[in-house]
Amino acid sequence: PGGGGAAAAAEGPAAPPLPILANAGAVTSVDVSSSGDFLAAGFASGAIVLWDIIRGCVLRTAQTPNYDRGRGGSAAITCLRFYKEKDAAIITVDGGGLVTRMVFFKMIWNTYSVETEVLLDGTAGRIPTLHMLPSARQDERLGNGSHPCRTILMLALSSERSSFVVAIEPSIRVLHKWNKPEHLENETDKLDSKIVTTSTDDRQQPQQQHATLPALAWGWVVTSGGGSTLVPMLARGWGSVVQLLQADFSLASSSKDANAAATDKTGATAESSVA
């Protein structure tokens, strides 16, 4: 879907002009829904555009909230991900660390409204990495039973100081804050300028070294002693350390609020060094 212009004939009145795209700048992030129905794009201005892939037309434009943290406006969208199988629902991250949830609802005449909710307001700092827990409904190993994760959607994201596990549904809640590995706590967030030898003639040149950033990945795993039960496991790489964090849903069956039962099994966190 090119510029959101030409499209197959749609029922009802033609879509209104898209003034939000006039100064949207470059596309900085894109994602396609798992159903293949929608494409979403984030722009340098903080604009979000939702497309109908089949018809090749724009369904809705939106703008991330303008939180004034001295940056003078909405920062570029650095990450954008659909998080539901069939619905037009996305998580966005901008360059200032603002994390939002946007849910697009179909109205009459093929028009869409959007509901926006802030997950992190940017005070945690820049968010360099984010990963969604794969839907339990998409994993055949979980069967058709009443696994608690079938009603819970989670994501993990990380600032330059901490990682967070956040429940998106059935309600938004920060389940766990996972601090940076202790041996990296003294590392500065800014570039560290050191003098190093970079040429064969022994001339020394200044070379910038970046602060170490985290990497995150969710997966469904069988844990030791857990029989055949699959649980969500979050892997985090930071510096020379790889860590695992297991979510504990043992209380979910007796709790009316599955979110509240999604406590963190920090005791099962395994840490190992990587050479």
Side-chain angles (χ1 to χ4, degrees), residues 248-257 260-263:
D248 182 5
F249 292 90
S250 60
L251 301 178
S253 59
S254 60
S255 173
K256 294 182 180 180
D257 183 359
T263 55

Side-chain angles (χ1 to χ4, degrees), residues 69-176:
R69 299 189 301 278
R71 61 183 185 176
S74 296
I77 303 300
T78 58
C79 182
L80 180 153
R81 294 290 181 268
F82 283 94
Y83 68 88
K84 300 192 75 171
E85 294 177 44
K86 297 181 180 180
D87 300 333
I90 62 175
I91 301 295
T92 70
V93 181
D94 75 10
L98 181 68
V99 182
T100 61
R101 177 178 74 163
M102 290 186 174
V103 181
F104 297 86
F105 299 95
K106 188 175 183 179
M107 310 293 284
I108 61 173
W109 299 114
N110 288 324
T111 60
Y112 278 74
S113 64
V114 60
E115 188 176 278
T116 302
E117 189 168 3
V118 174
L119 304 185
L120 291 179
D121 62 7
T123 55
R126 191 167 64 94
I127 305 294
T129 183
L130 175 149
H131 199 265
M132 301 292 306
L133 175 67
S135 171
R137 299 180 182 88
Q138 295 178 346
D139 198 315
E140 296 179 355
R141 297 176 299 168
L142 292 172
N144 297 317
S146 57
H147 195 288
C149 284
R150 288 187 175 278
T151 61
I152 296 177
L153 295 177
M154 293 192 298
L155 66 84
L157 47 83
S158 191
S159 69
E160 294 172 329
R161 296 184 181 276
S162 302
S163 302
F164 302 88
V165 177
V166 181
I168 303 300
E169 290 189 356
S171 61
I172 294 176
R173 181 185 176 190
V174 177
L175 299 178
H176 187 61

Side-chain angles (χ1 to χ4, degrees), residues 186-206:
N186 295 327
E187 185 183 63
T188 61
D189 294 331
K190 297 181 180 180
L191 299 181
D192 182 17
S193 295
K194 294 183 178 180
I195 302 299
V196 296
T197 302
T198 59
S199 61
T200 56
D201 59 2
D202 293 332
R203 287 181 299 174
Q204 290 185 330
Q205 299 178 0

